Amino acid sequence: MSESGGLRASDAEREAVVEMLREASVEGRLTLVELTDRTEAAYTATTHAELALLTQDLPAAGTVPAPVHTPPSRSKRWFLAIMGDTKRRGKWRVDQELGAAAVMGDVVLDLREAEVRTNVIDVTAIAVMGDVKIIVPDGVEVDVDGFAIMGDRKVDVLEAPPGVKAPVVRVHGYAVMGDVKVYGDARAKPIKRGWAAWREHLGIAPGQGWSDYRH
């Protein structure tokens, strides 16, 4: 390790890396789970070398033409389930608001491997005698509003500590004799996480995360 790489990282340097990661996500270079994992790693990094590892596969600022950002569409992309099931998992692109409606059925939106081109993920979830389940990486910030009538709105996510610039998922949940649920990784089927090597490098054990954050 070079002498400069072994220098201790400052709070400002950590925040700068987090901003680079956020911009890379909007450009489509990182999935939501990659952004969340790397953001967590940035805040727990102690040296310049550890911060450099987080962005080594991303272009340096100013080395590529600035992307032309298209304003997000004002329309929603809807996922509907009427007396049936609708599931969206794996690699997909989120560049507009999402809507999920379950009527005597189930909708599952797994956002972990999505390429998120917006700063905030907005989801309108409607459950009428059905269930809407939204799966996110642990470590995101979840903001839920709405109402439940003879139903339930539930969030079971290990969120980042206050003051951390974590990805934001905003859910407008409306349940009538149904459920709107937001789950984190700990409650969902595991996915392949390419950033596991970084967590091992930092000495972060499986299952350890924001609850063990020290700064």
Side-chain angles (χ1 to χ4, degrees), residues 39 138-142 157-167 210-211 213:
T39 297
D138 283 316
V140 301
E141 178 184 340
V142 180
V157 179
L158 180 60
E159 297 190 47
V164 169
K165 295 179 181 177
W210 286 114
S211 62
Y213 175 79

Side-chain angles (χ1 to χ4, degrees), residues 73-92:
S73 171
R74 293 182 179 273
S75 63
K76 286 185 175 66
R77 180 182 179 183
W78 281 95
F79 298 86
L80 306 177
I82 301 175
M83 300 181 68
D85 298 333
T86 296
K87 299 180 180 180
R88 190 64 177 91
R89 304 180 185 272
K91 301 283 187 179
W92 57 300

